[in-house]
Amino acid sequence: MPFKPAKWPRKLRSQEWFGGDSKDAIYHRGWMQNQGFPQDLFDGRPVIGICNTWSELTPCNAHLRDLAERVKNGVWEAGGFPVEFPVFSPAESSLRPTAMMFRNLCAMDVEEALRGKCIDGIVLMVGCDKTTPALLMGAASVDLPAIVVSGGPMLNGYFRGETVGSGTHLWRFSEAVRAGEMTAAEFREAEASMSRSPGSCNTMGTASTMASMAEALGMALSGNAAIPAVDSRRRMMAQLTGRRIVQMVKDDLKPSDILTRPAFENAIRTNGAIGGSTNAVIHLLAIAGRVGLDLGLEDWDRLGRDVPTIVNLMPSGKYLMEEFFYAGGLPVVLKRLGEAELLHKDALTVSGGPIWDEVKDVQNWNEDVILPTEKALTVSGGVAVLKGNLAPNGAVLKPSAASEHLMVHRGRAVVFEDIDDYKARIEDEDLDIDETCVMVLKNCGPRGYPGMAEVGNMGLPPKVLRKGITDMVRISDARMSGTAYGTVVLHTSPEAALGGPLAVVRDGDMISLDVPNRRIELQITDEELTTRLAEWQPSVERPSGGWAQLYHDRVMGAETGADLDFLVGCRGNDVAREAH
Ligand code: FES
């Protein structure tokens, strides 16, 4: 059913703070006026919060203060009153133990800030990986009109004449050093070439994937995902977003109107078409949980199976986000999905209209970047969801980043009990391992690491790399950076720290991977598995106090999005009472 805008004018939520002549109203207005805001700004116009993840310690979002000014311009132009505020900013590149441990903390910060503040609508300023899902999760739990504007990707990197992609080349160069093909000095020289402008990772890593997810979900203006951070059109996008949120408030167009099952199905298929990050699985499941939608791993497998990967970007392909933007960006991909009847064309977006209206007339300006279907990188893109006695609740693998010859494989397990064990032994020339083995890493799941670190694409042993081998089957309960690649089974659930079957794999066990049939099996008898599980003892210590303890105690499994159990659902935006 088409969206029916609310009647305007009407009393807004912000008037609970600013309306009338009570002592409380004068208190709220008066204190705001210490910033020089004239009195007539409190007259009932939409108050727009600009929720900013700017931080100099989140380099990918360090330009968002500037971009926020452009958003404000748009809000002013449309007759709104913009107010910017910071929220916790989880930085992928520097936050320890892992930014993922803080996604839910950021979402909680956002949720409580939105609900507790005197605002009517919200612009979500995001960029680095976790900031996009965190702000969407928080906004979904509050359900005020909300719109995303991304910071945009960095410009292409170049090193010695070659294009260099964020993250992807970090892994490649690192392996080249370990294989003796590149010196440490050359690696250091390449360092600055990878990040030569403001913005998020320029590959189809998690940041670009999540920007694409926000657009495919309908939560950002069309074209938002790919515009480079430093392109003038990024600033225009911010200004247009500011204009648009004011009208969304007037129309009362909320996340619950947009984040429907068709929107999530569009996003899942889009992820297949762009060769997006496996992290999108966890984040979309968590966002769906916030709006009370029953989305599951099986939806990812079912919906992504028939979607060819047509975006030729690293890590699966050749190009970077800059070329994707010049080719037409995500609207071209959405149009292609629509033409293939793989898009719910009538899904509502922040525009107030159906998604198809936004994309039906766009053109593909470079068919080597956005490929014709017959030249797709992978016929069956998306995310393969594996099940079996090693992953009763599921595990995922990204076919477009994997090696065809390893998609059906049986090999001897070489087990690392945790990431420290892996780091201590992987360089050992006496390690009993070759390219036919299956590398197994335990205790890196949500509770185990804690925070489910991006270590699932563990580097290969040097003695294997020196043979020119670049891929082996790897299995863990960890995640993998969206910029990474390989035949890597991730998010194995239940995780080892909870006593899932992964916890009882031993060196020398045989493991079989069968991606076409979606199976992952530990080849021991049921009796043996039962005995081992009964004997298992937890090895991960409970953190003592603080966020880490709360996270450890309440985080849910990867197959549900690794949210905290008490944060699932929408708690609305009722204004709390106060007394002065
Ligand atoms: Fe921030 Fe990649 S590290 S987007």
Side-chain angles (χ1 to χ4, degrees):
M1 192 143 69
F3 172 71
K4 203 159 161 266
K7 282 208 168 66
W8 181 259
R10 65 176 189 286
K11 185 183 172 193
L12 290 175
R13 184 176 184 272
S14 56
Q15 287 297 297
E16 297 285 338
W17 283 261
F18 299 140
D21 291 318
S22 68
K23 172 175 65 69
D24 283 353
I26 287 167
Y27 167 61
H28 295 307
R29 290 196 302 260
W31 259 254
M32 286 294 280
Q33 284 170 34
N34 82 348
Q35 299 173 81
F37 293 128
Q39 211 171 31
D40 63 352
L41 290 182
F42 304 92
D43 60 1
R45 70 188 70 197
V47 178
I48 305 299
I50 300 175
C51 179
N52 205 338
T53 50
W54 167 86
S55 165
E56 287 183 335
L57 287 173
T58 306
C60 314
N61 296 15
H63 61 302
L64 294 188
R65 284 299 321 285
D66 171 68
L67 213 56
E69 294 303 319
R70 307 300 171 143
V71 174
K72 287 180 194 172
N73 289 348
V75 173
W76 288 125
E77 284 172 342
F81 175 14
V83 280
E84 183 185 356
F85 62 93
V87 284
F88 183 87
S89 182
E92 198 60 36
S93 59
S94 61
L95 199 55
R96 295 186 181 193
T98 165
M100 181 62 179
M101 197 176 99
F102 303 98
R103 182 200 65 179
N104 302 336
L105 178 65
C106 176
M108 202 154 72
D109 179 357
V110 171
E111 176 182 346
E112 300 307 332
L114 302 196
R115 188 176 296 114
K117 290 183 190 295
C118 45
I119 55 174
D120 303 304
I122 186 78
V123 177
L124 306 171
M125 304 216 53
V126 299
C128 196
D129 297 15
K130 305 298 171 291
T131 56
T132 305
L135 270 59
L136 279 169
M137 288 161 70
S141 281
V142 178
D143 206 27
L144 282 172
I147 188 168
V148 165
V149 63
S150 305
M154 291 186 256
L155 294 176
N156 286 1
Y158 291 97
F159 178 63
R160 299 187 173 177
E162 301 273 324
T163 321
V164 169
S166 323
T168 302
H169 275 83
L170 185 71
W171 317 125
R172 283 187 193 160
F173 289 157
S174 161
E175 289 188 350
V177 170
R178 294 171 68 235
E181 294 161 1
M182 186 181 198
T183 67
E186 287 170 321
F187 194 11
R188 194 185 174 108
E189 191 187 328
E191 185 179 286
S193 69
M194 292 186 229
S195 314
R196 70 182 182 98
S197 84
S200 49
C201 289
N202 54 22
T203 41
M204 187 51 83
T206 303
S208 301
T209 299
M210 290 311 299
S212 301
M213 294 297 92
E215 189 172 329
L217 283 168
M219 288 298 295
L221 289 179
S222 189
N224 169 70
I227 307 170
V230 296
D231 194 296
S232 53
R233 285 162 285 188
R234 174 57 63 192
R235 289 174 163 187
M236 291 178 201
M237 175 59 70
Q239 190 151 337
L240 293 172
T241 301
R243 287 184 195 169
R244 181 62 204 153
I245 186 65
V246 176
Q247 190 59 44
M248 287 174 69
V249 169
K250 291 179 177 174
D251 294 346
D252 200 24
L253 175 54
K254 303 182 297 300
S256 57
D257 298 311
I258 297 169
L259 294 173
T260 57
R261 175 163 271 279
F264 281 93
E265 294 194 350
N266 283 347
I268 290 172
R269 286 189 168 125
T270 300
N271 190 62
I274 63 177
S277 164
T278 45
N279 284 322
V281 178
I282 289 192
H283 298 323
L284 258 62
L285 291 173
I287 297 165
R290 296 301 186 105
V291 290
L293 216 118
D294 187 21
L295 198 72
L297 277 182
E298 48 296 339
D299 290 310
W300 278 88
D301 198 73
R302 179 178 59 84
L303 294 161
R305 234 176 231 249
D306 300 329
V307 181
T309 300
I310 55 169
V311 176
N312 190 8
L313 256 60
M314 296 180 205
S316 303
K318 178 175 166 191
Y319 295 105
L320 294 171
M321 287 298 283
E322 217 182 310
E323 284 95 2
F324 185 42
F325 173 57
Y326 301 145
L330 198 73
V332 177
V333 177
L334 294 170
K335 181 181 180 184
R336 291 277 298 279
L337 288 171
E339 288 169 342
E341 300 302 330
L342 292 171
L343 187 80
H344 296 288
K345 295 178 180 172
D346 53 358
L348 183 68
T349 80
V350 288
S351 70
I355 196 164
W356 186 242
D357 285 1
E358 305 291 317
V359 302
K360 64 182 191 307
D361 297 323
V362 299
Q363 280 193 57
N364 183 359
W365 301 106
N366 189 333
E367 292 214 333
D368 198 36
V369 177
I370 305 174
L371 302 162
T373 305
E374 60 276 14
K375 290 188 181 167
L377 294 181
T378 316
V379 179
S380 176
V383 171
V385 176
L386 311 167
K387 288 215 171 161
N389 68 352
L390 194 46
N393 294 348
V396 303
L397 176 141
K398 181 174 168 181
S400 66
S403 301
E404 194 56 45
H405 72 282
L406 292 173
M407 299 294 251
V408 177
H409 183 79
R410 184 172 176 273
R412 172 172 61 86
V414 176
V415 177
F416 303 98
E417 292 299 323
D418 56 30
I419 193 65
D420 296 323
D421 183 33
Y422 163 79
K423 285 181 180 168
R425 295 195 292 128
I426 192 63
E427 308 275 333
D428 185 349
E429 292 292 322
D430 293 330
L431 184 66
D432 184 14
I433 191 168
D434 63 33
E435 60 273 24
T436 65
C437 292
V438 174
M439 296 169 69
V440 176
L441 176 62
K442 302 177 183 175
N443 294 314
C444 290
R447 183 183 284 199
Y449 192 77
M452 207 181 178
E454 292 186 332
V455 293
N457 58 315
M458 52 196 133
L460 308 192
K463 65 180 178 184
V464 171
L465 287 169
R466 284 198 300 273
K467 290 192 223 171
I469 307 287
T470 55
D471 197 9
M472 287 172 64
V473 174
R474 289 156 270 180
I475 300 174
S476 72
D477 45 12
R479 295 176 303 118
M480 169 172 91
S481 165
T483 62
Y485 47 86
T487 310
V488 185
V489 178
L490 302 154
H491 311 183
T492 303
S493 181
E495 64 174 297
L498 285 173
L502 186 71
V504 298
V505 181
R506 294 176 184 166
D507 274 332
D509 287 343
M510 296 305 289
I511 292 177
S512 69
L513 170 69
D514 182 350
V515 179
N517 288 306
R518 303 300 198 250
R519 300 301 294 171
I520 179 91
E521 303 283 354
L522 177 62
Q523 296 192 320
I524 59 175
T525 63
D526 291 347
E527 293 73 29
E528 170 71 8
L529 181 57
T530 306
T531 305
R532 287 191 196 180
L533 288 172
E535 291 169 352
W536 173 79
Q537 293 289 329
S539 59
V540 172
E541 280 183 27
R542 182 185 188 224
S544 71
W547 171 253
Q549 183 182 309
L550 181 62
Y551 179 89
H552 170 277
D553 291 354
R554 307 301 289 268
V555 71
M556 302 191 303
E559 76 280 8
T560 62
D563 203 354
L564 302 195
D565 54 6
F566 62 91
L567 292 176
V568 173
C570 175
R571 286 162 284 283
N573 55 59
D574 285 352
V575 178
R577 69 193 153 98
E578 67 173 357
H580 292 115

